[in-house]
Amino acid sequence: MAKTKLALFDLDGTLAETSEANVEAYRRAFADQSLAFNQQVYQGSHGMHWTQSLPLLHPEGTLEEFNTLRSAKSRHYAQLMALTKPIKPVIDLYNLYEPTHYRAVVTSASRANAETILKHLGLTPDLLIAADDVQRPKPDPEGFLKAMAHFGIGPEDTIIYEDSERGLQAARASGATVVNVATLLT
């Protein structure tokens, strides 16, 4: 039986608790460049694409410095998977959709980091849309709309699971049904 519905999941904070690994990877990347890392500013940038968060973390930084930090963060991040934990209730939902829905992950993370997390979690979505695949990051709905277009499934047959305010804005703008995972986990 052909699948005619789509379940889209954010990754960081939705399928996996990655905040500890992300903080430590950025802390190490900043230390590599002898820069101070402001964890409070980082926490305020939850759900942002790196092009939005790195200028907040390093206001005087250049694009070259941001790319260096981003590469170092990815390198450190891959070594910190033990700090990444599955969010079991959402993973259970993800697995429940397998027989009836296409499942895709739409994330603001880089493709390399997203693939590392998915491998760590043992998840193989039908499609991964990462930060590298969009021109306009969340809160723009581009990633969600790309996933729907890929499968030829409209918003009326799509459900999106998100956790960040930027992600929720993007999900709502897509026209799909939206579930704030914070409401599932309380």
Side-chain angles (χ1 to χ4, degrees):
M1 179 177 195
K3 295 177 184 179
T4 59
K5 296 189 183 262
L6 178 59
L8 301 177
F9 293 84
D10 176 47
L11 187 54
D12 293 283
T14 299
L15 288 169
E17 178 48 60
T18 59
S19 58
E20 191 177 352
N22 273 308
V23 166
E24 182 59 20
Y26 268 121
R27 189 191 65 68
R28 291 180 185 186
F30 272 69
D32 290 349
Q33 303 302 310
S34 300
L35 296 170
F37 174 68
N38 186 326
Q39 186 170 336
Q40 188 173 9
V41 170
Y42 173 76
Q43 289 172 329
S45 68
H46 177 68
M48 288 184 182
H49 186 265
W50 70 269
T51 58
Q52 299 161 326
S53 62
L54 282 177
L56 296 174
L57 290 164
H58 184 35
E60 317 80 42
T62 65
L63 182 58
E64 182 180 333
E65 289 173 311
F66 296 153
N67 282 323
T68 299
L69 285 167
R70 187 171 160 238
S71 294
K73 187 259 184 180
S74 290
R75 185 179 66 256
H76 290 299
Y77 192 76
Q79 301 165 355
L80 296 166
M81 281 297 100
L83 300 177
T84 296
K85 307 291 184 223
I87 299 176
K88 187 160 176 20
V90 184
I91 299 262
D92 290 346
L93 280 169
Y94 172 93
N95 289 329
L96 282 173
Y97 281 114
E98 198 280 325
T100 58
H101 290 61
Y102 289 108
R103 298 170 302 167
V105 171
V106 179
T107 179
S108 295
S110 69
R111 178 165 287 280
N113 285 352
E115 288 174 347
T116 299
I117 296 166
L118 289 168
K119 182 178 179 184
H120 175 71
L121 296 174
L123 299 178
T124 54
D126 298 304
L127 177 68
L128 169 62
I129 302 282
D132 317 64
D133 303 316
V134 297
Q135 297 295 312
R136 297 172 310 280
K138 297 171 186 176
D140 191 284
E142 180 185 352
F144 295 123
L145 296 173
K146 270 186 138 173
M148 288 181 224
H150 175 84
F151 294 104
I153 295 175
E156 66 280 358
D157 291 316
T158 301
I159 188 166
I160 300 173
Y161 291 87
E162 258 293 354
D163 72 306
S164 73
E165 189 50 45
R166 290 174 161 283
L168 289 164
Q169 288 173 12
R172 289 182 195 110
S174 77
T177 298
V178 179
V179 177
N180 180 345
V181 297
T183 63
L184 299 175
L185 303 174
T186 54

